[in-house]
Amino acid sequence: MRKRNLSLMSTVLAAALSASMLICAIPVSAADASTVVLNGKEMSLDDLIKNAKEEGDLQSVGMPDDWANWKGSWDAITDTYGITHGDVDMTSAEELSQFAAEKDDPTKDIGDIGLSMTPEAIKQDVIGTYKASTWDSFPDWAKDPDGRWIMTYTGSLAFIANTEFTGGKCPTSWEDVKNGDYLVSVGNVLGGAASQVAVLSCAIANGGSMDNVQPGIDYFKELAKAGRLDTVDTTSARLASGEMVCCVGNYDYSVLAWRDNIVAENPTMELDITIPSDGSVTNGYAQIINKYAPHPNAAGLAIEYLCSDEGAINRAEGYARPTKQDVTLPDDVKSKLLDDDLYKNCTNISDVDALNSACAEIAELWEREVLPLVQ
């Protein structure tokens, strides 16, 4: 999965293809009155669907099937509207570079970038605008006021452990991890956003903050001195092989999916997951439309669906937490998620500039103070 290397069904899509039927959870009587704004142009949902069907294709980047259950959304859009879909997995930086490089002959329509990359996307002027009919259902911190991006889901820094080597359970806090005797995998802090967020989470847990990341650096220096720090990329394959014992450098929805896939192939392996009780960071990914999209209406319709109740449910089915405020998750979907109580000490990141500043400092200090100590 390349997305982690940055630097974070039926109800709606039973909608008919005609203007008189249910569209994106909007009552039949209100369908014609519901409007969206695509690249500054206001139109009805009916017209958006009509135009999208005529375009007939949707190409995404960085939105692979196995990330936060994008597959559920692609299948629903394809089945309902007859729009074909393809995806090429890539990092946030690569997505923006592709949009810019192909502006005269574009092939991609939408993407999914880390929140920290949204200022760069705006600076490069490669993203269009879209305001869904459900725009008001999303909190201000999860959307750009001009409609240039919307963050429909979040993840929180989590721990996953092979409990055979961690005393029969996953460590529940950064303090527990420090007191263990097993190898701790944080990943590539120089280039991985999730790994940088892990250090930030640790800093907050140890009395630091967005403006003071040194406690997190000092913590990992201790692990490095003890020969307990693994800085190789964190992957499900390494966990499945036993090479990685305790991973502290990834998000909840990623490690929960790892667990499902690994246990399906290795039913005797016991994997446990939790959110560190003494400090974690909640971050998200923003959905964007290519300013030069060859299928702008299909791109808009895709964002419309992702912003609907069913789109939110799809994300939860992939263990990501929807940001849509008025969605009610079905009991069988909600039961798949970790308990809400585990998130009590999560710090929600909404200040992108502060996050970028903290991550830049973490990378600099990591290279100077931690890596020389890794054994």
Side-chain angles (χ1 to χ4, degrees):
M1 177 64 63
R2 302 189 67 190
K3 285 186 67 66
R4 61 182 178 79
N5 292 324
L6 303 175
S7 147
L8 70 64
M9 257 181 227
S10 54
T11 303
V12 170
L13 287 178
L17 304 182
S18 68
S20 62
M21 315 240 350
L22 181 66
I23 299 173
C24 292
I26 296 169
V28 174
S29 60
D32 290 341
S34 298
T35 60
V36 299
V37 181
L38 173 61
N39 292 329
K41 179 183 178 182
E42 185 175 298
M43 67 179 75
S44 69
L45 277 175
D46 291 341
D47 285 341
L48 179 70
I49 291 173
K50 175 179 177 291
N51 295 339
K53 288 175 60 183
E54 288 174 355
E55 291 172 349
D57 189 38
L58 174 71
Q59 296 297 315
S60 62
V61 285
M63 304 174 83
D65 286 356
D66 57 356
W67 181 276
N69 189 33
W70 284 127
K71 177 176 170 52
S73 294
W74 303 142
D75 287 350
I77 291 170
T78 297
D79 291 347
T80 301
Y81 301 109
I83 296 172
T84 57
H85 169 260
D87 182 81
V88 178
D89 192 13
M90 56 182 67
T91 68
S92 294
E94 290 170 339
E95 292 178 42
L96 300 182
S97 294
Q98 177 131 13
F99 287 178
E102 292 188 344
K103 67 178 183 180
D104 294 326
D105 188 20
T107 63
K108 309 304 179 188
D109 298 302
I110 64 172
D112 184 53
I113 61 173
L115 181 64
S116 63
M117 290 295 291
T118 53
E120 181 63 22
I122 293 171
K123 179 182 177 182
Q124 291 189 26
D125 192 25
V126 293
I127 50 178
T129 61
Y130 185 80
K131 289 192 175 183
S133 62
T134 55
W135 183 257
D136 291 340
S137 297
F138 291 84
D140 289 343
W141 57 262
K143 60 190 179 185
D144 173 66
D146 295 321
R148 291 171 292 191
W149 56 264
I150 188 161
M151 186 169 64
T152 61
Y153 69 100
T154 63
S156 297
L157 196 284
F159 295 164
I160 183 170
N162 182 335
T163 59
E164 178 182 352
F165 304 100
T166 59
K169 67 174 185 177
C170 184
T172 61
S173 66
W174 292 101
E175 184 70 17
D176 279 354
V177 171
K178 185 171 68 174
N179 293 333
D181 59 1
Y182 41 81
L183 195 64
V184 179
S185 301
V186 69
N188 176 15
V189 174
L190 294 184
S195 299
Q196 292 168 358
V197 165
V199 179
L200 177 59
S201 297
C202 182
I204 292 171
N206 286 277
S209 66
M210 295 274 283
D211 299 322
N212 176 22
V213 301
Q214 191 64 50
I217 295 294
D218 292 342
Y219 176 98
F220 283 101
K221 285 168 64 175
E222 288 188 39
L223 290 183
K225 289 176 182 177
R228 296 183 55 211
L229 184 58
D230 169 26
T231 59
V232 179
D233 281 348
T234 58
T235 67
S236 60
R238 294 186 67 219
L239 185 62
S241 70
E243 181 183 354
M244 192 167 68
V245 172
C246 178
C247 172
V248 300
N250 219 322
Y251 292 109
D252 47 2
Y253 55 82
S254 287
V255 297
L256 285 160
W258 285 3
R259 181 197 62 190
D260 288 353
N261 295 333
I262 292 171
V263 172
E265 296 292 330
N266 304 275
T268 61
M269 181 175 285
E270 296 185 3
L271 300 175
D272 194 15
I273 297 168
T274 194
I275 305 296
S277 61
D278 46 359
S280 177
V281 163
T282 296
N283 197 9
Y285 283 81
Q287 291 72 68
I288 57 175
I289 291 179
N290 183 0
K291 180 179 180 179
Y292 312 102
H295 314 107
N297 293 279
L301 181 58
I303 300 296
E304 182 70 27
Y305 175 75
L306 300 181
C307 292
S308 72
D309 283 359
E310 284 300 312
I313 292 169
N314 288 161
R315 299 291 75 71
E317 288 172 329
Y319 298 116
R321 296 200 161 227
T323 59
K324 192 171 190 290
Q325 296 174 312
D326 54 5
V327 64
T328 300
L329 299 179
D331 289 343
D332 62 329
V333 174
K334 188 172 178 58
S335 66
K336 294 177 61 176
L337 303 176
L338 296 176
D339 290 342
D340 290 343
D341 288 347
L342 295 176
Y343 294 83
K344 288 186 297 186
N345 285 327
C346 286
T347 298
N348 186 44
I349 302 298
S350 58
D351 187 333
V352 180
D353 291 336
L355 173 63
N356 285 339
S357 178
C359 287
E361 184 179 8
I362 286 169
E364 179 184 347
L365 293 173
W366 190 266
E367 185 171 31
R368 186 169 73 238
E369 298 185 19
V370 180
L371 286 183
L373 302 174
V374 176
Q375 302 177 18

